């Protein structure tokens, strides 16, 4: 089972300062779309063990999600050295996220 979305979140500046490839996964623990996509997201991330995965609970008043202009859940922002490289919204399968991680140069 995947870890839950975390209510405690880093500041946007801390996320931007993270080196390497980071997947910032926005959603909620009660969201049906998030639960449906959980297996595909986990499967994609298993193929890239060096990628840091942050699960951030999103919603009104959540500054991290607002700073990325997240509108739908789940949204996975793929960053490399603090820059957004790709964005996957409501992935239909693991391949979508695997392609985004490969685009970021994840190993």
């Amino acid at each position: 089972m995947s870890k839950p979305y975390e209510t405690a979140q880093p500041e946007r500046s801390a996320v931007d300062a993270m080196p390497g490839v980071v997947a910032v996964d926005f959603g909620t623990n009660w969201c049906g779309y998030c639960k449906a996509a959980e297996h595909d997201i986990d499967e994609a991330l298993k193929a890239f063990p060096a990628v840091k995965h942050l699960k951030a609970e999103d919603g009104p008043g959540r500054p991290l999600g607002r700073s990325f202009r997240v509108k739908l859940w789940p949204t996975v922002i793929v960053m490399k050295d603090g820059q957004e490289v790709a964005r996957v919204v409501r992935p239909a399968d693991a391949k979508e996220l695997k392609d985004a991680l490969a685009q970021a140069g994840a190993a």
Side-chain angles (χ1 to χ4, degrees):
M1 186 175 143
S2 183
K3 64 183 179 176
Y5 286 96
E6 296 290 332
T7 55
Q9 302 170 8
E11 297 286 327
R12 172 67 188 261
S13 59
V15 174
D16 289 344
M18 291 179 179
V21 179
V22 178
V24 187
D25 178 358
F26 290 96
T28 68
N29 296 314
W30 52 263
C31 166
Y33 291 104
C34 300
K35 289 178 182 181
E38 184 176 55
H39 174 75
D40 291 328
I41 293 169
D42 288 345
E43 181 183 328
L45 289 165
K46 282 181 190 173
F48 298 92
V51 171
K52 180 168 179 61
H53 182 208
L54 298 177
K55 286 187 80 168
E57 185 177 273
D58 192 38
R62 295 285 188 176
L64 188 58
R66 303 295 63 78
S67 73
F68 281 102
R69 301 182 192 272
V70 171
K71 301 288 185 202
L72 296 171
W73 303 323
T75 294
V76 182
I77 310 287
V78 178
M79 301 181 69
K80 182 172 185 178
D81 298 326
Q83 298 296 314
E84 182 175 336
V85 176
R87 178 179 293 232
V88 179
V89 179
R90 291 189 177 165
D93 55 36
K95 185 180 181 319
E96 275 188 271
L97 184 53
K98 284 180 182 177
D99 290 348
L101 292 165
Q103 178 183 338

